[in-house]
Every structure is written in structure tokens, then in C-alpha cells.
Amino acid sequence: MTSLTDTSADLARAQRKARRAHTLNRIASALTAVGLGWLAPLLRLAAGENPRQQGVELWRQMGIPLTAILLFLAAWGWAAPQVQTSLGAIPGPAQVWEQATNLYADHKAERAKEAAFYERQAKRNAEILAKDPKAEVKTRPYAGKPTYLDQIVTSLKTVFTGFLLGALVAVPLGVASGLSPTVNAAINPLIQIFKPVSPLAWLPLVTMVVSATVSGSDPLFEKSFLTSAITVTLCSLWPTLINTAVGVSSIDRDLMNVGKVLQLSGFTMVRRLVLPSALPFIFTGLRLSLGVGWMVLIAAEMLAQNPGLGKFVWDEFQNGSSSSLAKIMVAVFTIGLIGFLLDRVMLALQSAVSHSPAR
């Protein structure tokens, strides 16, 4: 009886351990998808799972990257004063951090001015209405300059608009190209011609077309916004189109034959068989397109002087003040960090909607 009791207890412990390991693996997969894989060893350490192995894994995922970053900052801090420019020495990490905090402080000050502006208007309008309830009052929009954070938001809105427009064009075309050799033969020459075209070549054409078609004193979208978004679309849709076509054409023929045997309609076959099977390729193309679109947007904003991070960099370059170099470097790090986060977002979305053994 004692032996049976011990065996049952051991079995229960083994089952609890297996469930815990399965749960930790699912959490680790989710954390890795969003770029927080270094938290997984910490969770396993807290659960008491092989401390030595988790310590080694934590060092690999967190310790080594942090060491590399610290070495980079040390090398940057040492080398920066050695390089002299017309505006002085290249700013080191401390100067760049100082300007980053200054830009945030400027943003808070500008928001405070905006709040005070609307508060004064509300107070004035209330006084007018108190004297004459039928009086017509107006609320004028705040006309202050956009802050650094405002320009980041503008760039994000523009890149997502251009990226989504490109995806809406590229995915259906890629599916059609992958399913039909005729369609593929028709659009492949166009892809090869337009894919290498630089955004600097598209931008003047897009600017002229938008200027000719968008008119009126109060259009639905600003011309500068449309110009940048369409340029992003034209330059970023190709990776998604190509990867979608490759993914669809690589689907197992037996799977397609099953759909034909079941007499599935074309739309049902695409929705139930083609898209799920090609999803990894489609998301690979979307991640590449979003990265390309982000790079293209910065160049387009610099060249066309459209609102956004690119214009901020160009304005600081033209400004030529003692703090301009540090502010430009703040923008460089911001652009890189946002690009990394955009890729993490797409990877997390892929993990959420696709099926893999890790999920």
C-alpha cells in the first residue's frame, strides 16, 4: 500500500512539473516573440528550474548584450571628442542623453502652452456667452510648433498608412501570382523594373501627381502626408508581393488537390488553404516591407521637407547650432529603436495568428 501511495505521489509531481514546464515554454515563446526573451530564464529561475542552466542562459541573453552595449558606449565616449567638425566635437553619450531630455522637456512645455491657450479661449467664450447667450463663439486651433514627439507620431502615422496601402495591393497580387503562372509571367517584368527604383526618383513624380489631384483649402488629407505615404507604398510593397508569391507557389500540391476533390470554391480555397499555408512567407514579406517603408519615409521627409523625423534631422542640420549634432544623434537612435520595435510588433503579430510547433 505504501509503495502504491508513493508511486501516485511521484506521478502527481511529475504531472505538475510537466504542466509547469509546458506553461513556462508557452510564456517563453510569447516573450521571445515580443523581444523580451531574456525574461524567460528569470521566470524559470523563480520556478526553481535548473538554476545553473538558467544562469548561463540569462548571461547569454542579457549579460552579453548589456556588456556589448556598455563597451560600445565606452568606445563612443572615448572616440567622440577626438573627432572635430565645424560645429565642434562629436557629442558623446552624455551630451546626447542631455539633448534627449531637453527635447522631452520642450514637448512638455509646449503641451502646457497648448493647454493654457485652450483654457484662455474657453474662459473668454464663457464670458461672452454669459453676457449674450446667443453670441457666436469660436475655438481656434493651437498653432504652436510641432515638438519632437509630435514629429515621431506624424512619421508613425505616415509609415503605417503607406505600409497598409502597400499590403492591400501586394498580398492579393502575390496570391494571384503564386496561383497562376500566367499572372506571374505578366507582373514579373514590372516587379523587376520598379523594385530597384529609389524613393528619390518616386518622390518628384508623386509630389506632382498629388499637387495636381488634391485641391481645395481644406482637403481631407494634407498633401505632404499623402506624398510621403504614397512614396512609402510604392517602395515598400515589393518584398510583400514577392514573398507572398513564393509562399503561395510553394504550397504542397496534394493540399491543393484535396481542395479540388472537396469542390471548394476559389475564395474558400484561398481563405482556408492558401493563406494559412503561405502565412510565414507573407509575414516575412510584411516585416521586410515595414522596414523598407520606415527607411524610405525618413529619406522622403528629408528631401520633401514634409513633417516628421526626417524633417527634424534636416532642420537641425541646417540650423548648425552647438546642440544640433547631439539632436541629430538623438533622432538617429530614435529611428533605429522605432525600426526595431516595428519589427517586434510584426513578429508578435505573426506569432499570434500563425500556427507553429512552438505555440
Side-chain angles (χ1 to χ4, degrees):
M1 180 65 69
T2 304
S3 178
L4 289 175
T5 302
D6 293 342
T7 302
S8 299
D10 291 341
L11 181 60
R13 282 195 296 270
Q15 289 176 342
R16 287 196 299 270
K17 185 176 180 180
R19 286 195 297 269
R20 184 177 61 192
H22 178 69
T23 302
L24 287 174
N25 286 334
R26 289 177 63 88
I27 295 174
S29 298
L31 290 173
T32 301
V34 297
L36 298 175
W38 53 272
L39 286 175
L42 290 176
L43 291 176
R44 291 193 168 99
L45 276 174
E49 183 178 318
N50 197 340
R52 181 179 178 84
Q53 179 183 351
Q54 299 312 317
V56 172
E57 186 67 17
L58 184 62
W59 167 251
R60 184 182 69 83
Q61 293 199 32
M62 190 175 179
I64 293 177
L66 284 177
T67 302
I69 290 173
L70 291 175
L71 289 174
F72 167 75
L73 291 176
W76 175 18
W78 172 82
Q82 318 300 324
V83 182
Q84 296 292 328
T85 70
S86 59
L87 300 178
I90 293 292
Q95 291 84 359
V96 172
W97 178 254
E98 179 185 0
Q99 291 305 318
T101 57
N102 288 342
L103 289 171
Y104 181 66
D106 292 343
H107 172 76
K108 292 174 62 177
E110 193 67 24
R111 293 288 76 82
K113 290 180 182 178
E114 181 180 9
F117 173 79
Y118 285 115
E119 185 178 349
R120 288 194 301 271
Q121 280 198 91
K123 184 178 179 180
R124 184 181 66 247
N125 291 340
E127 292 174 352
I128 294 174
L129 291 174
K131 295 178 180 178
D132 182 7
K134 296 182 179 181
E136 183 179 351
V137 296
K138 295 181 179 180
T139 301
R140 294 180 175 82
Y142 182 67
K145 65 178 182 179
T147 66
Y148 183 66
L149 296 185
D150 293 334
Q151 301 202 63
I152 292 175
V153 172
T154 299
S155 291
L156 287 174
K157 288 180 180 178
T158 307
V159 76
F160 273 115
T161 302
F163 167 73
L164 291 175
L165 288 174
L168 289 175
V169 174
V171 173
L173 272 181
V175 171
S177 179
L179 291 176
S180 170
T182 302
V183 175
N184 182 62
I187 68 173
N188 186 60
L190 300 177
I191 295 174
Q192 301 307 320
I193 292 173
F194 291 119
K195 179 168 68 71
V197 177
S198 166
L200 304 183
W202 282 119
L203 191 58
L205 295 174
V206 174
T207 302
M208 289 187 289
V209 171
V210 170
S211 298
T213 55
V214 177
S215 58
S217 58
D218 189 21
L220 182 60
F221 297 105
E222 294 290 336
K223 292 182 180 180
S224 59
F225 172 80
L226 288 176
T227 300
S228 297
I230 294 173
T231 304
V232 169
T233 299
L234 291 173
C235 295
S236 67
L237 62 87
W238 311 112
T240 299
L241 198 161
I242 294 170
N243 278 274
T244 301
V246 171
V248 172
S249 63
S250 302
I251 295 174
D252 190 350
R253 293 295 99 185
D254 292 337
L255 187 63
M256 301 299 293
N257 292 333
V258 168
K260 293 177 181 177
V261 169
L262 295 175
Q263 297 183 346
L264 299 179
S265 65
F267 177 76
T268 302
M269 187 175 293
V270 169
R271 185 168 60 90
R272 293 294 183 88
L273 299 179
V274 174
L275 289 179
S277 299
L279 212 53
F281 286 89
I282 294 174
F283 268 98
T284 298
L286 290 173
R287 289 173 63 191
L288 292 172
S289 290
L290 190 53
V292 170
W294 183 240
M295 290 188 294
V296 165
L297 175 65
I298 303 303
E301 289 174 344
M302 290 181 68
L303 184 64
Q305 287 293 280
N306 292 335
L309 275 174
K311 185 177 187 301
F312 173 84
V313 172
W314 185 256
D315 288 345
E316 289 300 328
F317 174 71
Q318 294 293 326
N319 183 23
S321 67
S322 57
S323 62
S324 291
L325 281 178
K327 289 181 179 179
I328 291 173
M329 295 190 74
V330 171
V332 167
F333 283 108
T334 302
I335 292 167
L337 182 60
I338 291 176
F340 168 76
L341 293 177
L342 291 177
D343 185 72
R344 291 293 97 184
V345 168
M346 292 303 301
L347 188 58
L349 184 59
Q350 177 181 354
S351 177
V353 303
S354 63
H355 298 276
S356 66
R359 293 188 65 217

